[in-house]
Amino acid sequence: LALLHVEEGNVDEALRVFDEILWAEDHGDIEVQINCFGLLTRLAVRNVPGLHSRFSAVLDACPAEYLHAYPLHNLLRLCALCHTKRETQALTQGLAAAAEAARAHSPHLETIVLPLALAVRDTLLGDEGGVARMQALRGPALWREAAGSEEQRCFLL
């Protein structure tokens, strides 16, 4: 429902759904956290003000050492860390370690997901090199490796 409001440009209603329904639920549920990160990231790329406290609340509920098996979830969490100007090193190091460990059976983690995560981080932190790297990695065929639906990955565009 909140995403529909975002797409229709009704930001206030999307934030109401976040505050009263989505984030009013179990804060310890990783899927709730990921849905919150997804919604807030969509709002952030639309330059909606006042998201810092909401991103912070979700990050505070998310275990710092947690690395999700679903790459898109880690990318969304990385976006939240960047938007709140929090440390990203632990997550990017975790992604690098996961990519190395999975090299033999999931090479896309090393060749696509990790470079994409680093480019997203650098872009959100204002590094122009990050934008160039994201453009070099551009393409639905590549980004499918980050998992999620095309709709869920739209923040990468």
Side-chain angles (χ1 to χ4, degrees):
L1 179 61
L3 296 179
L4 180 63
H5 290 304
V6 171
E7 294 307 315
E8 291 177 348
N10 192 347
V11 172
D12 291 337
E13 193 59 24
L15 290 173
R16 186 194 64 76
V17 170
F18 175 87
D19 293 334
E20 296 177 10
I21 299 171
L22 187 57
W23 194 237
E25 298 295 319
D26 180 10
H27 297 174
D29 183 340
I30 191 68
E31 295 306 318
V32 170
Q33 295 166 5
I34 296 307
N35 288 330
C36 289
F37 286 147
L39 172 62
L40 294 173
T41 298
R42 284 173 185 246
L43 292 167
V45 298
R46 289 169 171 81
N47 297 314
V48 172
L51 300 178
H52 188 276
S53 63
R54 290 175 175 97
F55 269 126
S56 290
V58 180
L59 283 168
D60 290 346
C62 189
E65 71 284 350
Y66 186 78
L67 190 64
H68 202 283
Y70 201 48
L72 181 65
H73 294 183
N74 295 314
L75 291 172
L76 288 168
R77 187 162 153 236
L78 184 62
C79 288
L81 291 168
C82 292
H83 284 293
T84 56
K85 307 288 191 246
R86 292 193 186 188
E87 178 57 52
T88 61
Q89 186 175 359
L91 181 56
T92 54
Q93 285 177 341
L95 288 171
E100 176 138 354
R103 182 178 288 149
H105 61 84
S106 296
H108 69 279
L109 289 176
E110 183 175 39
T111 60
I112 297 167
V113 176
L114 180 59
L116 183 57
L118 297 175
V120 165
R121 178 202 62 197
D122 294 348
T123 299
L124 292 175
L125 296 178
D127 178 356
E128 290 182 24
V131 174
R133 286 193 303 284
M134 280 193 67
Q135 289 174 343
L137 291 166
R138 198 176 227 23
L142 292 176
W143 290 0
R144 272 193 291 275
E145 298 298 336
S149 68
E150 201 169 301
E151 192 64 24
Q152 290 173 310
R153 294 187 307 266
C154 75
F155 76 96
L156 295 170
L157 301 173

